[in-house]
Amino acid sequence: MSNGFGFSFPNDGRDDDDDKNRKDGNGQNPYEGFGFGTGQGGLGDILNQFGQMLSGMGDSMNSSDSKNAVNYDMAERIARQQIGQAKQVSSGDRNAVEESVRLADLWLNDATDLPTAEGRVEAWNPEEWVSNTLPMWKRLVNPVAEQMNRAHLESMPEEAREMLGPMAQMMSQMNAMNFGMQLGHALGDLAKQALSGSDFGLPTAPTGTTAVLPNNVAQISKDLNVPGQEILVYIAAREVARQRLFKHVPWLTERIVSSVEEYANGLEIDTSNIEEAARGLNLESGDPQAIQDALSQMQGMDMTPKISSRNAVATARLETLLALVEGWVDIVVTEALKDRFPSEAAMSEAWRRRRATGGSAERAISQVVGIEVQAPRAEQAAELWRRATQAVGGERRDKVWDHPDFLPSADQLENPASFIDALLDDEPDTKFDEEIAKLEEMLRNEPGIDEREEGDGKDDGSQDGTEL
């Protein structure tokens, strides 16, 4: 690694090791069978090869997870294979994590009015990161996978759906395995990069858990001329800040999940390219060799369906939420550490480089969940929060998290001035309040009408003691 925190995500082309990880326990790639042979034999051979492909998948088709839209058993197994032999966290590193979290939590009290999240402090290795964050990844992945399955079936011609018949369940299981394989590779990649439980600005750590991955942190510290303990405190401070936000803004996690669900509900699949290729099969001819030749020609075609969502608003809302979370973390961590760590500026710059080269919530969402979101906008959000702090102070800034309607919109990330103006309009006029208080105090100190009338009567009575 040559640029601080600059981890990079793998491209579509996998290396040899990744190809091995894709294979099942019998050393076979379960998707090689979709080629249906190399031209020899008839329809019986085609079906025989299809059966061999299924048998090579081992127990995955019969796992307890096979009825879900995603085969999570397979996903976790592939992720662990991709991680390899993960080094266990030593007792010394666990103590260092606990002390770093405690110190960072104390210092953050000076930067935000959101109270500490308390809860458990844990030190994980990459395998533990996968196990502990998988429940939240399931919540994010499930809506998309389920809707994708439905959309696939709905996009098929009615005749094709009728032909599937009893094979529909098998097709669903195949889709679940495909999703599981993709998820496993994605989680394996992320686990080797993750530095904390909610590292990518997503609430993936279990509720009430502040977690740091000290072994992964130690790897990145080699590329920075910064003491390792300072880097550990910096990473801990970012995680502590996120946990404060996720705990004391109870609607935030559900808002993120609901945005994914809304996006999923609007998924549309354009299979016109597949339909065009299928027309060339001429299944009605009944000629096995002709079908085999047509299938061979289809291998070179782009058979990827075009996927989009009608709910673009949900995607924009998700992008904005993710940016606002990480931008807020940037500001409060900088404020808490800048006068305590001379290296804070260098670490913040390294973090920005890391985020720009792959270590972002947007990239994680794209890789794991399959939602293509825009490039990170956390820097814009950080600038907005910085200006809000200067204009109205940290307490008023953090009150914005009280309700989702108070948060800046996507347009206000581009134009922070409009958001700042709204905050200033909501601020009480302290000068006017001070003048009112002075007037009230002056009126309280003046003699009342009753007192003046009582004094006048006493003077009149002193002139003559007889009644008229």
Side-chain angles (χ1 to χ4, degrees):
M1 294 170 288
S2 60
N3 56 352
F5 295 154
F7 299 112
S8 60
F9 280 65
N11 55 28
D12 291 335
R14 303 276 183 174
D15 55 24
D16 293 339
D17 291 336
D18 285 331
D19 287 336
K20 294 177 183 177
N21 287 336
R22 258 199 224 86
K23 296 179 180 178
D24 60 78
N26 296 321
Q28 297 176 327
N29 186 326
Y31 290 91
E32 287 176 354
F34 279 119
F36 295 106
T38 55
Q40 54 177 311
L43 184 59
D45 289 332
I46 296 174
L47 296 176
N48 182 52
Q49 291 177 39
F50 184 68
Q52 290 177 356
M53 179 194 70
L54 295 181
S55 65
M57 294 180 182
D59 298 330
S60 295
M61 294 285 285
N62 299 318
S63 71
S64 59
D65 210 25
S66 61
K67 294 183 180 180
N68 293 325
V70 180
N71 192 315
Y72 291 107
D73 291 342
M74 170 176 279
E76 187 167 4
R77 184 167 64 250
I78 289 177
R80 290 179 180 275
Q81 289 174 353
Q82 192 156 330
I83 292 169
Q85 189 66 34
K87 180 182 177 182
Q88 296 301 310
V89 179
S90 68
S91 59
D93 284 342
R94 292 186 187 279
N95 291 335
V97 166
E98 292 175 0
E99 288 300 311
S100 297
V101 168
R102 182 191 62 78
L103 188 60
D105 215 4
L106 179 65
W107 288 346
L108 276 172
N109 289 334
D110 297 335
T112 176
D113 288 330
L114 291 181
T116 180
E118 297 178 339
R120 300 182 302 277
V121 176
E122 297 183 358
W124 294 344
N125 66 9
E127 284 187 341
E128 291 168 323
W129 182 89
V130 170
S131 299
N132 287 301
T133 63
L134 187 56
M136 177 51 74
W137 288 118
K138 288 181 180 180
R139 291 194 64 190
L140 296 172
V141 171
N142 260 331
V144 177
E146 289 173 356
Q147 183 62 21
M148 283 281 287
N149 282 338
R150 285 193 294 268
H152 269 127
L153 289 174
E154 292 172 359
S155 65
M156 295 177 64
E158 185 176 352
E159 297 81 0
R161 290 199 297 269
E162 291 176 356
M163 290 177 61
L164 275 177
M167 293 184 64
Q169 180 61 31
M170 181 183 297
M171 186 173 181
S172 296
Q173 290 180 337
M174 294 285 291
N175 285 338
M177 293 182 63
N178 186 25
F179 279 122
M181 293 176 69
Q182 295 175 12
L183 177 60
H185 284 295
L187 291 180
D189 289 338
L190 293 179
K192 291 185 287 187
Q193 304 175 59
L195 304 177
S196 63
S198 303
D199 184 41
F200 303 100
L202 292 164
T204 48
T207 302
T209 300
T210 300
V212 176
L213 283 73
N215 294 339
N216 286 8
V217 173
Q219 292 179 13
I220 65 169
S221 67
K222 300 175 183 177
D223 295 327
L224 294 174
N225 188 23
V226 176
Q229 184 61 35
E230 290 190 15
I231 295 178
L232 189 58
V233 173
Y234 178 83
I235 299 301
R238 297 193 68 89
E239 184 65 9
V240 166
R242 294 190 197 99
Q243 292 306 316
R244 289 190 182 206
L245 203 55
F246 292 138
K247 178 174 181 178
H248 298 292
V249 184
W251 54 264
L252 182 56
T253 296
E254 296 308 316
R255 187 83 163 182
I256 291 174
V257 174
S258 66
S259 295
V260 174
E261 291 172 342
E262 185 179 344
Y263 167 90
N265 289 334
L267 279 177
E268 296 177 322
I269 299 180
D270 179 6
T271 58
S272 57
N273 58 331
I274 300 176
E275 293 171 9
E276 183 178 351
R279 282 194 289 269
L281 283 176
N282 192 18
L283 295 175
E284 296 179 356
S285 68
D287 183 354
Q289 185 60 46
I291 296 174
Q292 178 76 31
D293 293 342
L295 288 172
S296 298
Q297 293 178 3
M298 288 175 64
Q299 286 182 342
M301 299 180 182
D302 180 11
M303 303 296 288
T304 305
K306 298 176 177 61
I307 302 171
S308 61
S309 175
R310 298 186 303 272
N311 299 331
V313 174
T315 309
R317 184 190 305 126
L318 182 61
E319 292 167 354
T320 303
L321 276 176
L322 298 176
L324 289 173
V325 169
E326 280 299 278
W328 182 85
V329 170
D330 285 354
I331 292 303
V332 297
V333 168
T334 295
E335 188 174 340
L337 301 184
K338 64 182 179 181
D339 295 330
R340 294 181 168 101
F341 282 172
S343 57
E344 186 279 328
M347 289 188 288
S348 293
E349 177 58 32
W351 187 273
R352 283 190 288 271
R353 289 199 302 269
R354 175 184 188 254
R355 188 159 54 204
T357 56
S360 66
E362 290 86 353
R363 195 67 181 268
I365 281 282
S366 174
Q367 190 174 8
V368 177
V369 186
I371 298 179
E372 293 294 335
V373 293
Q374 292 183 0
R377 304 175 69 188
E379 281 71 30
Q380 289 179 319
E383 176 62 14
L384 181 146
W385 291 126
R386 184 187 65 80
R387 293 176 61 176
T389 306
Q390 292 178 339
V392 298
E395 181 180 2
R396 180 69 185 88
R397 175 203 65 202
D398 293 346
K399 292 289 288 182
V400 172
W401 291 102
D402 284 353
H403 193 278
D405 290 346
F406 298 161
L407 284 181
S409 65
D411 291 339
Q412 287 173 326
L413 285 183
E414 303 284 348
N415 180 24
S418 63
F419 176 70
I420 303 302
D421 289 343
L423 286 182
L424 291 172
D425 288 342
D426 291 340
E427 279 288 279
D429 190 338
T430 55
K431 183 176 181 180
F432 177 77
D433 289 345
E434 289 174 1
E435 293 298 327
I436 291 294
K438 289 179 181 178
L439 179 59
E440 290 175 346
E441 181 67 20
M442 182 180 66
L443 292 174
R444 280 196 299 268
N445 292 334
E446 287 186 355
I449 296 176
D450 294 340
E451 293 178 355
R452 291 197 297 270
E453 288 179 350
E454 183 180 348
D456 292 343
K458 188 177 296 183
D459 291 342
D460 293 340
S462 63
Q463 295 175 3
D464 191 349
T466 62
E467 295 182 357
L468 294 177

